[in-house]
């Protein structure tokens, strides 16, 4: 390919000249090609790898040089001799003569460089190649990556790093390539080549550690191997990228969300690192945005634009605080260098003025930002103030137009808004958006959305059920009043609403307990839910409208759990509270069907409804499920399991003397799920647990970990003396039951925590505020970033454990229905899943979401479509499926797929896949022949003129003996999932032959057989018409390629097909087609006796041996193809099969056919096929049984173990459409 001219000083160093003329030189890299160039070639090859030379990918090049100059210019390079020769010939034909006209060498050089650049520009324009941000050096690395590891263009390289890979005790210096789906390593040292390819989806552990010998080391573990890399130039950058890519893979396994590149990144700057790709910058930007959102509790779609160092003037202490300003699409945020000193969030929707103030020595480059609630924030020491102001102005314009658009689409606010916004009583009422939203909640609109018979909660449920008389006043109320005054004073000093300065003082007030009537609004503020609610006006009401009257599995589970949600609280002992809870949970299930509904959500939501209005409770639930407790409430509570692992790690660090004891009793895994999923609401008295929720919304998950560790620490001596897990659970349960909130003004609510007690004395009371403070004092050093690091490690472990559990459950479900062993089924499942993942990486005809749904029963979680099945069937035909069919393979794969796809959804699950494979590998003679017959009796899909009647007849019969029948209908599915998580399946297959079966499996099979329906009658199979018989002939004639008895099988097949053709002709005597006229019937009856007699005469005179001999002429003499018929004798009539491999038709020789012969090798479908001709399965079976060679071929069992090993080896070596090995290293040399 042509390249932009680059100067070369030493043209002959490490290169050999192959062609030359006065202006151009064609060179080949030393050590490339045949012979390798001896020792010098080995050294050059090693240098190319170690120094990352482009010559490794492009070993040929063309140089330009003027006769009197010593400077050369590279103008083209190529990966093959053919490619570079084309460029060389073009130069000789188009440029060589032109250059002799020039007199000045500088003019020649300018002309050549301009011409080459023009060719490149024209090529880019004609091929619609747009400029991207990737440098030429990185493009070379991409080409090298695809060539070395045989990866398709869809596999995107993110970055590559120099490092050493340890093979045993020997390090291999080379390059580590990190792509979106794979980790790859390549090394070439003195003729020894090493390649390693690992899917990120197979990584079970990724850790960075150090030893005396290897101070910087990354260990990558999969299920069956462990790999160590060291000697990194920048190990931190490399490891962070590896973590991020592994996380993307885990996310894909968890919810099938693949990676999509963000194309909205700014252009690459000139000073950027040379090797940084656009994809790497995208991933870096994602990581920064994720940390930014977590730090300030912002919506999950917020993208960080940039950040800069600055100072913030804090009026409450009259100081300039050093920190960083973050600017994103909708927010300006600030956090101090000293972590707890001050943080600030300014939504752009609240901003009214952004202006540059006058600079001075005391206050250089100041920037003033004013908001709608009359607050002004003064930033200074900004390095690039003008650029920053321009970016903020751009985002402000977008925000203004967004607000205007929303108001236009949702309609102007009702007139009642003005009345409501003037009312007091809201902590956040200073914000116009807040007032507007409150008014919507209070207006009639919300009430009218719901059934008029159901009263609607227009305010927090707690305010309706607070039992307090006006005259009542006691010390608790006095303390509550003082708390409220403290918060009001705080608002006066630090600001009010979203833009409040958040300092150590704010944290102190939270730890002292939030007042009852401020709790809901401060939860909204600290969780960030206030922002999502403000930017989505009317969203909740629309969701309620859409979800009303919709029924699915989630709504059934919600109805079941409604009356179990805080039943001890009076707010949920009547229809108002229950209806509000139903609306919020149903709306969320409708918003996020991936989660839908999970147990424990009802308990948390009921508490949210006590302190917040319905819409506010909904947005708090969104913040909880999607940001603060990610993946906690999906079908497999992955997030809670991950944090359970984190908790075990923290317990090992902070209470090591207790850790071993707790692990032995398996207590940590038991207690942590209930504690974390409900935020202690289900295990503590209500008035104490809400204090924990206060701290959680302010500080996040670290509070839960701290508190859990404090509970263990407080009971350490009792737990160490426990004999079993029941005793330990009792001790912890009694302790948590005794946690009290003496400041609570609420009437005591009976705690319904089910607990096995030992009837001993109750535990002494524990004050919740003292417990919380103790947790901060002892375990407050736990950092959020450390928790995230631990979460990553545990996420790998948990998701891979779930995948292993899924595999075991699938295998356990079908092991009694197939002759394959457990180990074979597990290996086959791995290949099946790997093919699914490969298609997700590099595209497929169907949506990956439809093929992988983790919420489905185990057997349905991974499904493959036709294209994927063809890869397993066709491209690995000699590895897994025993029936090789050469050029006919794709057609056979389609037929098998259609037969296995019993519900016609164009997808097959693992059970269906195994059913087909087990029949082909281990079925007896009759089963295999019946399978072969049935895949051909299916109506053709690709013929538009398909007869509906015959199609109906065939389709009505199928899917009764080979494939499972899943129970249809929502009720049946739900019932099956409630029972055991599996779709109910009934098998009606004949008994598959088993060679060596363990006793327990034999009995299970006998029991399984008793539950099956009566086996089919062979006579029930539809007849095979002439068109279908032709396809069957194609399959048979292509099936025996490379078989040791190939010729004998071909002769046997010729005999069988001749016999079947005879039978079909004879069978026509017994049918009287309804569409013929009376005259045609008479003629036919007259003609029949002579034809029948002649046929019988030939059948009597011909022995099977003679028939086989006469049919030998069917076979082609061509070594590479045995798929063309010449003439096949059938009585007094001849049927010709032309080009059996492509568009074959049977044509009757005679007057009717004479006129059409020669058109595309045969007659049109409608003319050439005899619709009266047909054979039955019994005839097919009987004919095959006459040939011993065919009987032996079909009776021979197939050993799948060797085929599985071969399949894995093929993946290891690589394939043009497949990923390389995910499990093993390939080393050569």
């Amino acid at each position: 390919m042509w390249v932009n001219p680059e100067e070369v000083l030493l043209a002959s160093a490490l290169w050999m000249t192959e062609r030359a003329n006065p202006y151009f030189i064609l060179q080949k890299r030393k050590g490339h090609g045949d012979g390798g160039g001896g020792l010098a070639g080995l050294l050059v090859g090693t240098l190319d790898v170690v120094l990352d030379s482009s010559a490794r990918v492009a070993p040929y090049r063309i140089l330009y040089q003027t006769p009197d100059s010593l400077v050369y210019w590279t103008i083209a390079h190529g990966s093959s001799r053919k490619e570079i020769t084309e460029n060389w010939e073009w130069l000789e034909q188009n440029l060589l003569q032109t250059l002799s006209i020039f007199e000045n060498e500088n003019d020649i050089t300018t002309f050549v460089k301009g011409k080459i650049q023009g060719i490149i520009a024209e090529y880019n324009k004609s091929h619609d190649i747009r400029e991207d941000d990737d440098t030429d050096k990185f493009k070379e690395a991409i080409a090298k990556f695809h060539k070395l590891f045989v990866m398709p263009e869809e596999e995107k390289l993110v970055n590559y790093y120099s490092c050493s890979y340890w093979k045993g005790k020997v390090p291999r210096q080379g390059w580590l390539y990190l792509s979106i789906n794979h980790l790859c390593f390549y090394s070439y040292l003195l003729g020894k080549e090493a390649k390693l390819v690992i899917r990120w989806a197979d990584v079970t552990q990724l850790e960075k550690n150090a030893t005396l010998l290897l101070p910087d080391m990354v260990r990558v573990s999969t299920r069956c191997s462990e790999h160590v890399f060291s000697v990194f130039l920048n190990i931190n950058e490399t490891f962070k990228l590896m973590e991020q890519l592994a996380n993307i893979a885990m996310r894909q396994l968890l919810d099938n969300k693949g990676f999509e590149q963000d194309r909205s990144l700014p252009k690459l700057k000139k000073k950027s690192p040379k090797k940084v790709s656009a994809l790497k910058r995208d991933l870096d930007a994602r990581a920064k945005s994720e940390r930014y959102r977590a730090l300030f509790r912002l919506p999950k779609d917020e993208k960080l634009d940039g950040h800069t160092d600055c100072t913030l003037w804090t009026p409450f202490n009259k100081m300039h605080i050093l920190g960083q300003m973050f600017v994103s699409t909708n927010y300006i945020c600030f956090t101090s260098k000293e972590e707890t000193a001050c943080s600030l969030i300014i939504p752009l929707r609240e901003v009214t003025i952004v202006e540059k103030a006058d600079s001075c020595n005391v206050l250089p480059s100041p920037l003033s930002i004013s908001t709608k609630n009359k607050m002004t924030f003064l930033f200074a020491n900004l390095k690039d103030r003008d650029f920053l102001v321009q970016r903020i102005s751009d985002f402000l314009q977008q925000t203004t137009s967004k607000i205007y658009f929303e108001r236009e689409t949702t309609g102007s606010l009702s007139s009642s808004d003005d009345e409501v916004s003037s009312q007091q009583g809201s902590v956040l009422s200073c914000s116009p958006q807040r007032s507007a939203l409150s008014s919507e909640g209070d207006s009639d609109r919300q009430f009218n959305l719901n059934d008029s018979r159901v009263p609607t909660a227009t305010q927090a449920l707690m305010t309706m059920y607070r039992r307090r008389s006006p005259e009542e006043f006691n010390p608790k109320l006095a303390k509550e009043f003082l708390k409220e005054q403290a918060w009001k004073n705080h608002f006066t000093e630090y600001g009010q609403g979203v833009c409040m300065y958040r300092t150590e003082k704010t944290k102190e007030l939270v730890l002292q307990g939030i007042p009852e009537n401020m709790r809901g609004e401060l939860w909204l503020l600290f969780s960030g839910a206030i922002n999502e609610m403000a930017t989505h006006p009317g969203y909740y009401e629309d969701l309620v409208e859409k979800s009303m009257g919709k029924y699915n599995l989630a709504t059934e589970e919600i109805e079941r759990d409604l009356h179990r949600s805080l039943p001890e609280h009076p707010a949920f002992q009547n229809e108002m509270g229950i209806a509000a809870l139903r609306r919020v949970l149903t709306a969320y299930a409708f918003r996020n069907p991936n989660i839908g509904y999970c147990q424990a959500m009802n308990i948390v939501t009921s508490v949210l409804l006590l302190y917040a209005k319905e819409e506010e409770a909904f947005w708090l639930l969104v913040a909880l499920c999607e940001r603060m407790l990610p993946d906690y409430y999906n079908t497999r509570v992955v997030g809670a399991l991950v944090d359970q692992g984190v908790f075990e790690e923290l317990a090992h660090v902070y209470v090591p003397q207790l850790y071993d004891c707790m692990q032995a009793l398996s207590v940590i895994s038991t207690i942590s799920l209930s504690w974390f999923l409900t935020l202690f609401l289900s295990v503590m008295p209500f008035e104490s647990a809400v204090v924990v929720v206060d701290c959680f919304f302010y500080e996040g998950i670290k509070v839960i970990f701290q508190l859990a560790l404090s509970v263990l620490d407080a009971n350490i001596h009792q737990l160490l003396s426990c004999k079993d897990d029941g005793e330990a659970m009792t001790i912890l349960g009694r302790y948590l039951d005794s946690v009290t909130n003496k400041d609570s003004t609420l009437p005591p609510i009976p705690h319904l925590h089910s607990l096995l007690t030992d009837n001993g004395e109750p535990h002494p009371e524990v004050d919740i505020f003292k417990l919380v403070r103790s947790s901060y004092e002892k375990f407050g050093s736990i950092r959020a970033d450390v928790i995230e690091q631990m979460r990553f490690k545990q996420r790998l472990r948990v998701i891979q454990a779930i995948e292993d559990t899924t595999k075991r459950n699938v295998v356990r479900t079908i092991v009694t229905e197939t002759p394959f062993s457990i180990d074979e089924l597990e290996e086959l499942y791995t290949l099946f899943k790997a093919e699914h993942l490969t298609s997700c990486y590099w595209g497929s005809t169907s949506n990956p979401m439809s093929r992988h749904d983790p919420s489905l029963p185990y057997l349905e979680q991974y499904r493959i479509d036709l294209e994927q099945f063809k890869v397993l069937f066709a491209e690995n035909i000699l590895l897994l499926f025993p029936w090789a069919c050469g050029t006919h393979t794709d057609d056979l794969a389609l037929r098998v797929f259609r037969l296995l796809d019993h519900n016609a959804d164009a997808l097959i699950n693992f059970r269906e896949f195994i059913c087909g494979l087990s029949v082909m590998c281990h079925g007896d003679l009759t089963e295999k022949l019946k399978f072969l017959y049935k895949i051909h009796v299916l109506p053709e899909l690709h013929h538009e003129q398909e007869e509906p009647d015959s199609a109906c007849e065939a389709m009505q019969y199928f899917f009764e003996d080979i494939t499972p029948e899943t129970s249809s209908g929502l009720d049946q599915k739900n019932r099956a999932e409630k029972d055991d998580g599996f779709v109910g399946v009934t098998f009606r297959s004949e008994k598959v032959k088993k060679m060596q079966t363990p006793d327990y499996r034999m009995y299970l099979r006998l029991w399984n057989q008793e539950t099956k329906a009566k086996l089919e009658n062979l006579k029930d199979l539809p007849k095979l018409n002439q068109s279908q018989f032709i396809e069957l002939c194609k399959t048979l004639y292509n099936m025996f390629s490379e078989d040791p008895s190939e010729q004998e099988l071909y002769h046997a097949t010729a005999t069988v097909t001749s016999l079947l053709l005879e039978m079909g002709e004879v069978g026509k005597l017994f049918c009287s087609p309804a569409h013929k006229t009376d005259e045609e019937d008479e003629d036919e009856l007259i003609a029949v006796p002579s034809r029948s007699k002649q046929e019988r005469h030939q059948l009597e005179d011909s022995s099977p041996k003679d028939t086989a001999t006469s049919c030998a002429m069917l076979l082609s003499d061509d070594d590479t193809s045995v798929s063309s018929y010449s003439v096949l004798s059938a009585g007094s009539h001849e049927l010709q099969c032309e080009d059996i491999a492509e568009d074959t038709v049977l044509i009757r020789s005679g007057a009717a056919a004479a006129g059409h012969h020669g058109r595309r090798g045969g007659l049109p479908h409608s003319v050439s096929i005899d619709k009266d001709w047909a054979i039955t399965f019994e005839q097919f079976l009987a004919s095959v049984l006459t040939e011993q060679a065919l009987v032996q071929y079909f009776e021979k069992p197939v050993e799948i173990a060797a085929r599985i090993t071969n399949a894995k080896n093929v993946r290891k070596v690589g394939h043009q459409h497949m990923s390389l090995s995910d499990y093993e290293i390939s080393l050569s040399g």
Side-chain angles (χ1 to χ4, degrees), residues 690-707:
V690 290
V691 176
V692 178
V693 179
D694 292 343
C695 299
F696 169 76
F697 277 125
Y698 186 77
E699 287 268 64
I701 191 64
K702 74 185 290 274
V703 171
I704 305 299
F705 287 127
Q706 289 173 191
L707 198 65

Side-chain angles (χ1 to χ4, degrees), residues 1001-1138:
R1001 288 182 63 189
M1002 181 182 70
Y1003 289 119
L1004 284 172
R1005 284 174 177 281
L1006 291 173
W1007 173 81
N1008 191 38
Q1009 191 172 16
E1010 289 174 6
T1011 64
K1012 293 178 184 176
K1014 184 181 177 182
L1015 295 179
E1016 64 179 350
N1017 189 333
L1018 296 182
K1019 294 182 179 179
D1020 294 337
L1021 282 162
K1023 290 184 178 180
L1024 201 69
N1025 63 34
Q1026 198 173 78
S1027 168
Q1028 293 162 343
F1029 175 70
I1030 294 168
E1031 295 301 321
L1032 179 61
C1033 289
K1034 288 183 187 180
T1035 300
L1036 286 171
Y1037 271 91
N1038 283 277
M1039 189 180 287
F1040 313 120
S1041 175
E1042 299 183 15
D1043 191 278
S1045 309
E1046 186 175 344
Q1047 288 303 315
E1048 188 179 350
L1049 287 167
Y1050 284 138
H1051 285 285
T1053 304
T1055 304
V1056 169
T1057 51
S1058 298
L1059 198 56
L1060 288 170
L1061 283 168
E1062 301 278 359
M1063 290 179 180
E1065 289 295 322
V1066 172
K1068 286 170 58 178
L1069 304 179
F1070 302 102
C1071 70
S1072 179
H1075 62 272
K1076 293 187 179 182
T1077 61
D1078 293 340
E1079 288 183 13
E1080 288 172 331
D1081 286 344
E1082 261 183 43
D1083 293 340
E1084 185 69 23
L1085 289 171
I1086 293 170
V1088 159
S1090 62
R1091 186 168 65 213
S1092 177
K1093 183 177 179 182
Q1094 199 168 0
E1095 287 168 352
R1096 284 199 301 272
H1097 177 72
Q1098 181 167 342
L1099 284 172
E1100 288 167 5
D1101 291 347
S1102 302
S1103 66
K1105 183 176 179 181
D1106 294 336
T1107 307
T1109 304
S1110 66
C1111 291
M1113 59 196 295
L1114 292 171
L1115 305 175
S1116 169
D1117 295 330
D1118 189 348
D1119 292 338
T1120 60
S1121 172
V1122 284
S1123 58
S1124 60
Y1125 278 126
S1126 107
V1127 176
L1128 196 152
S1129 175
S1132 62
H1133 296 269
E1134 290 182 349
L1135 289 172
Q1136 297 180 6
C1137 284
E1138 304 186 3

